[in-house]
Amino acid sequence: MLRQCIASFLGLLAVVTGTILQNGQVRITNFPDTKIDLSSYMLETYDANATEVSYKGRWDSKKISWWSAPGLVFGFTGDTVAITFGRETIDTTLVGYRLGGMDWQFTNVTTGGTHLLINSETMGVNLTYPVNPKTLELRVTNWGYGVQIDKIHVAAGEKLIGIPNYRRSIEFIGDSLSAGMYTSYEGLSSFAYGVGAGLGETEYSVTAIPGICVADQNCWGNPRGQVHQWFYASDTSGRATKIWGDNPEPWDFSKQQSPDIVVINLGTNDNNEANNVTSEAYADSYKKLIQGVHGKFPNAQVVVMQLWLGFFQYGNSYAQNHGFDTELLGVVDYFNSDEYLLSPIIWDGTTNTTTTLNSTSQPFVHFFNTTGIMQHNDIGPQWHPTDTGAIKVASHLTQYIRLKFGWDLQATGPEYTTPSPDDEIRVGFWDLLHGYLVLTAGTLRIFHETLYWNDEPNY
């Protein structure tokens, strides 16, 4: 499935540009050039570790971003925000950013450069509702590239404001399918992002990178599997090897809000015969990964996604390929058995040790059936979901979470709203006949400019 894409998995061989291909044609993007000469501005400057800055997803101690769609959020006063990116930033990495709940804007940031993201002409910068204080959210779009935050700047006399986390949290653990490979804006067009943003008022992180197996072996250039790498801050890219060598930082789980739900979609690469992963090794690694999740987040519910391996012509129609169905159902059954629940085992991927707990556990592992969600034309030429396919998966998984766990949909218009400092937010509209109406649920457009698929691996 991924034979032609090995270079993109390594994350070092391609040249970063702003090119997006849709059906083989270049999409006109017109990303703004936001780079400025810092010496020409009078600004208040904050260090990258300022307590007012909330980092989303995985960042290491050097404030370097990793995995899919890592980001940051902070509030600010005034009408100016600029960010200086450090020397470990991959030059021209594409980032998405936005003010409050406005639409995403995109720009290519530069190594060591300062980029002006908010100014007096930014749409909505002078409005104080419904998101107050004003906020900036930034997300890195591509897993293979990353940024390093050096400094954050606001206008002279203005300040940053810390924004509290939402009460709900979800994490996705996966490979290219969760990372958004070949969707238009990749990490910001993936089904994982669609669920996290679409739920609304929910913290989300996507610990995913293309080509990785759950089994701890080399798969498509990834030297380790998720059963090991999930326990570390950095991913398995060549960029990580260059920076951290053979001694990556273990992930500090105390930095992360404990997720209420963990969604796992792994096995597409294990199932590929080129990687030679046995069904026994796959099931054992999957069990250890869930044991690891349970050890770090004992109150989290785990959702195991059924694999989809594309479609094949079946007579005069098409049928969906599955993989490891028996193994996945066996994993779910194991964690719901008395054998496990009466004597739970947890796994630590940094020490390669298992521990049997002196306590019992309630059932926490669930199976999400993907059959029928996508059809054969929801898969692009490079064997990954189109934008539409990703949205369909996100929509069904969001409804599954709503029905299974009782999570109300809190997104009521903006793609991803931000709470006020007292953790209360009102999102609504003004009706001339009835006054101000507070919305409790609604539809939303999650993905920015979702029209076609992206089949360009080298950017």
Side-chain angles (χ1 to χ4, degrees), residues 74-95:
F74 53 81
F76 64 95
T77 62
D79 60 7
T80 303
V81 176
I83 296 179
T84 300
F85 294 90
R87 60 184 177 85
E88 296 295 348
T89 297
I90 301 298
D91 201 50
T92 67
T93 292
L94 186 68
V95 301

Side-chain angles (χ1 to χ4, degrees), residues 2 5-12 66-68 143-144 174-177 179 181 207-230 234-241 266 268-270 274-275 277 384:
L2 303 175
C5 309
I6 295 175
S8 67
F9 302 150
L10 298 178
L12 290 177
W66 301 103
W67 302 95
S68 181
W143 58 85
D175 50 33
S176 59
L177 301 176
M181 189 171 190
T207 314
I209 190 169
I212 198 168
C213 289
V214 65
D216 191 21
Q217 65 171 63
N218 191 303
C219 291
W220 304 119
N222 295 281
R224 306 299 297 261
Q226 282 284 31
V227 69
H228 170 85
Q229 202 66 31
W230 180 75
S234 56
D235 52 43
T236 51
S237 64
R239 181 170 67 98
T241 302
L266 284 166
T268 299
N269 298 299
D270 302 76
N275 292 316
V277 177
H384 288 70

Side-chain angles (χ1 to χ4, degrees), residues 2 9 34 77 105 118 127 129 148 160 168 178 184 209 222 227 250 293 325 329 339-340 415 419 447:
L2 303 175
F9 302 150
T34 55
T77 62
Q105 307 298 313
I118 304 292
L127 301 177
Y129 66 92
Q148 181 182 36
L160 295 183
R168 306 189 306 195
S178 301
S184 288
I209 190 169
N222 295 281
V227 69
V293 170
D325 272 356
L329 291 172
E339 174 191 358
Y340 184 83
E415 295 174 342
F447 296 167

Side-chain angles (χ1 to χ4, degrees), residues 142-196:
N142 185 280
W143 58 85
Y145 305 97
V147 302
Q148 181 182 36
I149 304 300
D150 184 19
K151 305 290 183 183
I152 298 172
H153 316 274
V154 293
E158 305 295 346
K159 62 181 181 180
L160 295 183
I161 301 172
I163 301 297
N165 287 338
Y166 292 115
R167 292 188 178 96
R168 306 189 306 195
S169 179
I170 188 168
E171 179 174 358
F172 299 85
I173 306 174
D175 50 33
S176 59
L177 301 176
S178 301
M181 189 171 190
Y182 297 126
T183 53
S184 288
Y185 287 93
E186 299 178 312
L188 291 183
S189 299
S190 69
F191 82 82
Y193 164 76
V195 175

Side-chain angles (χ1 to χ4, degrees), residues 80-136:
T80 303
V81 176
I83 296 179
T84 300
F85 294 90
R87 60 184 177 85
E88 296 295 348
T89 297
I90 301 298
D91 201 50
T92 67
T93 292
L94 186 68
V95 301
Y97 63 98
R98 62 176 167 188
L99 171 73
M102 303 299 287
D103 286 348
W104 288 106
Q105 307 298 313
F106 291 85
T107 190
N108 296 98
V109 300
T110 56
T111 306
T114 299
H115 290 259
L116 183 66
L117 304 180
I118 304 292
N119 59 38
S120 60
E121 297 180 357
T122 300
M123 183 179 295
V125 74
N126 293 317
L127 301 177
T128 58
Y129 66 92
V131 180
N132 187 23
K134 291 172 286 189
T135 61
L136 177 80

